[in-house]
Amino acid sequence: MNPPAIEMKDVSFAYEGKTVLEDVTFRLGQGDFLGIIGPNGSGKTTLLKLMIGLLKPDKGTVKVLGETPRDAKRRIGYVPQNVGINISFPISVFDIALMGRLSRSRIGRWFSRKDRSQVEELLKDVGMWKYAQTPIGKLSGGQRQRVFIARALATSPEILFLDEPTANVDPEFETDLFEFLKDLNKTVTIVIITHDIGVLSSHVKSIACVNRNLIFHEGGKVTPEMIKMAYPCPVDLIAHGMPHRVLSIHEER
């Protein structure tokens, strides 16, 4: 029997004595597509960093594919909110994506023909092959995100983690990205942080709402309980072209 993609038990984490996450427990199966929602500062990115091993919990345990995050690092891909590449540096789209093969190539050796061929296919998959020799700084925000996703996929991950990949990009890119991820999910488990609740509902299989604690829903449905936890005000969603009230009007406390 395959181990879960992610398993967290009684996980708590604090920054400088301030609790960010408390008693988080959930289990995500392989092949799932998890959307993580919640307000700014709720602990979403911290949760993701605990999953991939960039942070260690103060309490509790985290397993990824049955291993510690550190041991599973070669089996995951990660697209952070801020990639940290100097876009003024004259490096091409192809070379950025090829960096993802570093974990598959031994240090001191040239990239193989297979490495280059795989990166070519990935850039085609994300619609960026025609920009292969374009400097990264010449691209729009959405185009750069496509390249960074290709780089993450070049590691041949079993799980792909994305932190707000649609922030500051055009709506067309957002729609295309979710369609691409939905297709990718046939072979790769996906975990994505996003503020766009409306788009989530038609693409993800599971949803986690984070605001210090965590509510996990396997059906991919945004529940009123999640909305109340994440947003202390009335919220309307646009679904099938019509606004839907998912949290009734209430008084502030």
Side-chain angles (χ1 to χ4, degrees), residues 125-136:
D125 288 343
V126 299
M128 291 303 294
W129 176 241
K130 65 180 179 180
Y131 300 100
Q133 300 307 317
T134 302
I136 193 72

Side-chain angles (χ1 to χ4, degrees), residues 64-215:
V64 177
L65 298 167
E67 303 180 299
T68 66
R70 181 175 181 178
D71 291 337
K73 66 181 181 180
R74 291 185 177 275
R75 304 170 70 184
I76 68 175
Y78 174 46
V79 182
Q81 197 171 83
N82 297 304
V83 175
I85 286 180
N86 183 355
I87 62 173
S88 65
F89 188 76
I91 186 171
S92 72
V93 163
F94 187 83
D95 286 337
I96 288 284
L98 193 60
M99 289 179 181
R101 298 301 298 170
L102 284 172
S103 62
R104 301 288 174 178
S105 302
R106 288 183 294 182
I107 295 175
R109 293 188 58 180
W110 294 103
F111 290 106
S112 67
R113 181 176 297 178
K114 181 180 178 181
D115 291 330
R116 294 178 178 277
S117 177
Q118 181 169 350
V119 167
E120 178 179 341
E121 290 304 311
L122 288 170
L123 287 173
K124 288 177 179 177
D125 288 343
V126 299
M128 291 303 294
W129 176 241
K130 65 180 179 180
Y131 300 100
Q133 300 307 317
T134 302
I136 193 72
K138 299 292 186 181
L139 304 180
S140 68
Q143 289 173 327
R144 285 197 295 270
Q145 282 293 70
R146 291 172 187 263
V147 177
F148 298 143
I149 290 170
R151 183 182 67 168
L153 291 175
T155 65
S156 300
E158 295 173 54
I159 307 177
L160 178 64
F161 295 90
L162 304 103
D163 189 355
E164 294 282 6
T166 60
N168 303 314
V169 299
D170 57 272
E172 183 180 356
F173 166 75
E174 182 175 29
T175 301
D176 290 347
L177 172 64
F178 272 93
E179 288 298 329
F180 171 72
L181 293 178
K182 188 175 183 178
D183 188 59
L184 180 66
N185 184 228
K186 295 174 183 176
T187 56
V188 177
T189 302
I190 296 173
V191 178
I192 182 171
I193 293 176
T194 181
H195 279 95
D196 197 330
I197 301 173
V199 174
L200 274 182
S201 61
S202 60
H203 291 86
V204 302
K205 299 175 182 176
S206 301
I207 290 179
C209 180
V210 181
N211 195 353
R212 182 164 171 160
N213 301 117
L214 181 144
I215 297 175

Side-chain angles (χ1 to χ4, degrees), residues 227 231-237 245-252:
I227 298 298
Y231 307 100
C233 58
V235 175
D236 288 332
L237 293 183
R245 174 59 53 88
V246 295
L247 180 62
S248 59
I249 296 175
H250 58 279
E251 296 181 358
E252 293 186 53

Side-chain angles (χ1 to χ4, degrees), residues 9-14 19-25 42-43 47 50 59 210-214 229:
K9 293 183 179 179
D10 303 317
V11 170
S12 295
F13 184 85
T19 300
V20 179
L21 295 171
E22 185 173 25
D23 296 327
V24 171
T25 296
S42 63
L47 179 70
L50 287 166
K59 172 191 167 188
V210 181
N211 195 353
R212 182 164 171 160
N213 301 117
L214 181 144
M229 175 182 177

